[in-house]
Amino acid sequence: MGMICKAKYKEVIALCLMFVCCMIVLSAQTAYAAPGSNPVTLPGAQTFTKPESSLTDDTFTYKLTAKETGNPMPSGSTDGVYAFTASGTVSMDIGPVTFTQPGTYHYEVAQSVTSSKTGYTYDLRVYAVTVYINTALEADVIIKNEDGDKVDCIRFENQYEPLAGDPSDKGNSGTAGGTSGPKTGDNSMLERYQAMLGISGLLFLVWVGGLFMTRKHKKELNL
């Protein structure tokens, strides 16, 4: 009887050890399968309008700023500020920002204008970005404009309209293909030459007429 109980005791111990080993293996597999990070890219766009022939600068600078110290930031950021540029009319991906911990993170995105250039109109809207990261590191991104309305894209619209005599507008003179039309001064000179030519022709006709009349008068006197 004692031998039987001892055998059953060993069997129970063995089953318990197998159960513990299985739990350890399953836990290790679960920890390995869990995502360790989630890179998030913010959708953005820039629109730049200008005269078609203008060769003016079309590159603008923007900043993504963390509202809390220690927020994850894109590579190349300094002191919670990430600066980036965009040229022309283009879609742009802001980031990525890699999150490794659940939480709520706040940011702002705005255009950075250190000095205004002549003829430029800058879009100075400020967008508020909130990123919700759950325990599975899944992201929910909310973007709001200055009015507090949700938008699906961080969009900026810049414009260039040259002033009269603006030397920075290199492409506005002349016509397509690089040829320039006649200037107002050239037209005036042409009109003057035409008028002088007409007067000279009229004076020549008067002189010929006078010469003819003089000869005719002499012939009559000789008769």
Side-chain angles (χ1 to χ4, degrees), residues 8 10 19 72 83 115 126 128 140 142 160 171 174 179:
K8 287 186 177 181
K10 289 182 177 180
F19 177 76
S115 61
V126 179
D140 185 18
I142 304 297
Y160 173 71
T179 58

Side-chain angles (χ1 to χ4, degrees), residues 38-42 64 72-75 77 82 93-99:
N38 184 7
V40 175
T41 301
L42 305 178
L64 170 69
M73 295 294 294
S75 176
S77 302
Y82 172 64
D93 294 329
I94 305 171
V97 183
T98 301
F99 296 90

Side-chain angles (χ1 to χ4, degrees), residues 8-69:
K8 287 186 177 181
Y9 177 75
K10 289 182 177 180
E11 186 178 343
V12 171
I13 294 296
L15 289 174
C16 289
L17 290 173
M18 290 178 62
F19 177 76
V20 171
C21 290
C22 289
M23 291 300 296
I24 292 174
V25 171
L26 289 174
S27 298
Q29 289 179 346
T30 302
Y32 180 79
S37 63
N38 184 7
V40 175
T41 301
L42 305 178
Q46 173 182 277
T47 301
F48 180 54
T49 56
K50 64 179 181 66
E52 184 177 354
S53 59
S54 176
L55 302 178
T56 190
D57 183 25
D58 64 351
T59 300
F60 302 88
T61 302
Y62 302 91
K63 289 184 178 180
L64 170 69
T65 304
K67 299 301 292 179
E68 296 95 12
T69 302

